[in-house]
Amino acid sequence: ETNTLPFHPFENQQGDILRVEKEHQVLQEQLREAEEKFEQSQSRSLEEIAALEGLLKKSIEETEVSKNELNWFHQDSEAQMKKWQQEKKENKENLKALKGTAKKHSDTNERYLKTIDDKEKQYNSCLNTFLETSNKFANEKSKLEELIKKSQKDSQECEKRAVKAEISVLQTWKETEIWKLKGTIAKAEGNLRMLKAVSSSASAAPVLKSQIDSWEIFISNVKKQLEKVEAEYEEKIELVKNGSRNCLSKVEIVDFPWP
């Protein structure tokens, strides 16, 4: 009777205690496996976050460099434009002075024609001076035309560099925001995997279901935000390439609260 009858109140029938002990051992093994999976998932998530933070830091540094280059390009363009305008003003004044000189010598030549017999030498001297002035005017005009062509070419080059710099800044902003959102997605997916692993237990599943649903909705919203950011930055880059201005602004990011 000692080893054949149930041990009340702990057993309703023979072997209940042994069966409970076996179930307890199985549950302990499942708990140990779940803890190992959680530690592995947490380690991978930390490595991914560290890598993404490094990429984010590098992207911010490149953005600052691109901003400085863009400022340099604008300053150089403004300096070239002011220099060209000043030279244009000076050349215009020189041209006006040369015209006055030419008219003065022309009047002098007409007066000398009346006394050509007596003042032939003076007439020839003035004529030579007139020819030198004319040649000088022609040379100045040629130089001015070359300067205008060069200034126009420099202005076009500066505009191309400015467009390239704006595209670089927009591309850097786009990559930065994408890296941030991808980092958020990676971290959220790690949490979701952990919850799903823990929820494999029948007793924990009902408790964790609402949390799992919240994390899945959060991940879906962040992915939609990622697609929206990428599309809007691409649209801005295309507008800049097509000649549009005032496109150098960041895309608005919606900060979804973490579950």
Side-chain angles (χ1 to χ4, degrees), residues 2 7 11 21 39-40 68 75 83 98 142 145 171 180 188 194 203 206 233 235 251 257:
T2 299
F7 182 36
E11 288 184 320
E21 287 180 347
E39 292 175 354
Q40 293 173 359
N68 291 333
Q75 292 174 2
K83 181 180 178 182
L98 289 172
S142 177
E145 290 175 350
Q171 188 70 29
K180 286 181 181 178
M194 180 192 68
S203 60
Y233 271 116
E235 182 180 0
V251 173

Side-chain angles (χ1 to χ4, degrees), residues 165-210:
E166 288 185 8
I167 291 174
S168 176
V169 171
L170 289 172
Q171 188 70 29
T172 302
W173 284 348
K174 184 190 81 171
E175 292 173 357
T176 300
E177 296 301 338
I178 287 175
W179 284 331
K180 286 181 181 178
L181 293 172
K182 284 185 177 179
T184 301
I185 292 172
K187 186 174 181 181
E189 288 178 345
N191 293 337
L192 182 61
R193 286 194 298 271
M194 180 192 68
L195 287 173
K196 287 185 176 179
V198 175
S199 68
S200 60
S201 171
S203 60
V207 178
L208 298 178
K209 185 178 183 305
S210 62

Side-chain angles (χ1 to χ4, degrees), residues 38-55:
F38 168 73
E39 292 175 354
Q40 293 173 359
S41 174
Q42 188 179 40
S43 177
R44 287 195 301 270
S45 298
L46 291 173
E47 292 175 355
E48 293 174 353
I49 290 170
L52 290 171
E53 287 176 347
L55 292 174

Side-chain angles (χ1 to χ4, degrees), residues 13-142:
Q13 58 183 3
Q14 182 66 25
D16 281 350
I17 293 177
L18 292 176
R19 185 166 54 256
V20 170
E21 287 180 347
K22 289 180 181 180
E23 290 177 353
H24 178 68
Q25 291 176 355
V26 170
L27 290 173
Q28 284 184 330
E29 182 65 23
Q30 289 178 352
L31 177 60
R32 185 183 62 80
E33 291 177 356
E35 289 175 346
E36 290 177 354
K37 289 180 180 179
F38 168 73
E39 292 175 354
Q40 293 173 359
S41 174
Q42 188 179 40
S43 177
R44 287 195 301 270
S45 298
L46 291 173
E47 292 175 355
E48 293 174 353
I49 290 170
L52 290 171
E53 287 176 347
L55 292 174
L56 177 60
K57 181 179 179 181
K58 181 180 178 182
S59 175
I60 292 172
E61 293 174 351
E62 291 176 352
T63 300
E64 292 298 326
V65 171
S66 297
K67 283 183 178 179
N68 291 333
E69 290 179 350
L70 181 59
N71 290 332
W72 294 339
F73 292 153
H74 283 312
Q75 292 174 2
D76 184 61
S77 177
E78 290 175 357
Q80 290 292 337
M81 183 60 69
K82 289 180 180 178
K83 181 180 178 182
W84 176 78
Q85 289 176 348
Q86 182 63 28
E87 290 175 350
K88 181 180 178 182
K89 181 180 179 180
E90 293 175 356
N91 289 327
K92 187 176 181 181
E93 292 175 353
N94 291 336
L95 180 61
K96 183 178 180 180
L98 289 172
K99 286 182 177 180
T101 303
K103 187 176 185 301
K104 178 181 178 181
H105 287 298
S106 178
D107 296 337
T108 303
N109 287 333
E110 289 179 359
R111 291 194 303 269
Y112 285 170
L113 285 173
K114 297 177 181 179
T115 57
I116 192 169
D117 294 333
D118 299 329
K119 299 182 179 181
E120 186 176 0
K121 291 181 180 181
Q122 294 180 8
Y123 167 77
N124 290 331
S125 177
C126 290
L127 179 60
N128 291 333
T129 303
F130 171 76
L131 292 175
E132 289 176 0
T133 303
S134 251
N135 291 332
K136 184 179 179 180
F137 168 75
N139 291 333
E140 291 292 334
K141 181 180 179 182
S142 177

